[in-house]
Amino acid sequence: QVQLVESGGGSVQAGGSLRLSCVASGNTGSISRVAWYRQAPIKEREGVAVIDTADFNTYYHDSVKGRFTISQDTARNTVYLQMNSLTPEDTAMYYCAAGYRSWRSWDAVQDYPWWGQGTQVTVSS
């Protein structure tokens, strides 16, 4: 089993920055990929960014490219999401998810069996 705990959410004005953290515990050796997802009210959950834990490869949703950066600190079992130039459209609950690489697209939820409880990000104009 793997447990994930997110932190770092909050309220900021447009143009501001936040850094989210996701700390993993438990059987972390079984994780090969960690992703951040978000879900806004009445919208579907969408993948924001992912990092492959072995080779540090990253992928991003088109809407956050150039603004968000995903990174990991393997010694601390922590994955970060640095979010810059935030806009009101980034307002959502952000979730950390851990799982496996597969033949599917990086944001296929079927490949992430472990999820955190989420942290709220609110961006005001």
Side-chain angles (χ1 to χ4, degrees), residues 31-88:
I31 299 171
S32 58
R33 180 168 274 186
V34 178
W36 286 96
Y37 283 75
R38 66 185 179 187
Q39 187 165 20
I42 73 170
K43 290 188 177 180
E44 291 189 0
R45 187 171 297 192
E46 66 178 7
V48 175
V50 68
I51 186 165
D52 290 337
T53 57
D55 55 21
F56 289 64
N57 281 338
T58 59
Y59 304 92
Y60 296 91
H61 191 279
D62 285 346
S63 67
V64 307
K65 284 181 181 176
R67 300 188 300 122
F68 291 11
T69 302
I70 189 169
S71 62
Q72 66 174 350
D73 183 337
T74 54
R76 290 181 169 83
N77 287 331
T78 302
V79 171
Y80 302 99
L81 185 68
Q82 178 66 45
M83 306 186 295
N84 299 327
S85 302
L86 286 161
T87 73

Side-chain angles (χ1 to χ4, degrees), residues 59-125:
Y59 304 92
Y60 296 91
H61 191 279
D62 285 346
S63 67
V64 307
K65 284 181 181 176
R67 300 188 300 122
F68 291 11
T69 302
I70 189 169
S71 62
Q72 66 174 350
D73 183 337
T74 54
R76 290 181 169 83
N77 287 331
T78 302
V79 171
Y80 302 99
L81 185 68
Q82 178 66 45
M83 306 186 295
N84 299 327
S85 302
L86 286 161
T87 73
E89 288 69 38
D90 296 314
T91 295
M93 184 71 79
Y94 284 70
Y95 298 91
C96 176
Y100 317 109
R101 295 175 64 167
S102 77
W103 56 269
R104 284 181 281 261
S105 174
W106 66 266
D107 58 349
V109 295
Q110 302 95 311
D111 293 330
Y112 298 95
W114 302 293
W115 292 77
Q117 293 300 305
T119 185
Q120 177 68 37
V121 171
T122 302
V123 185
S124 58
S125 58

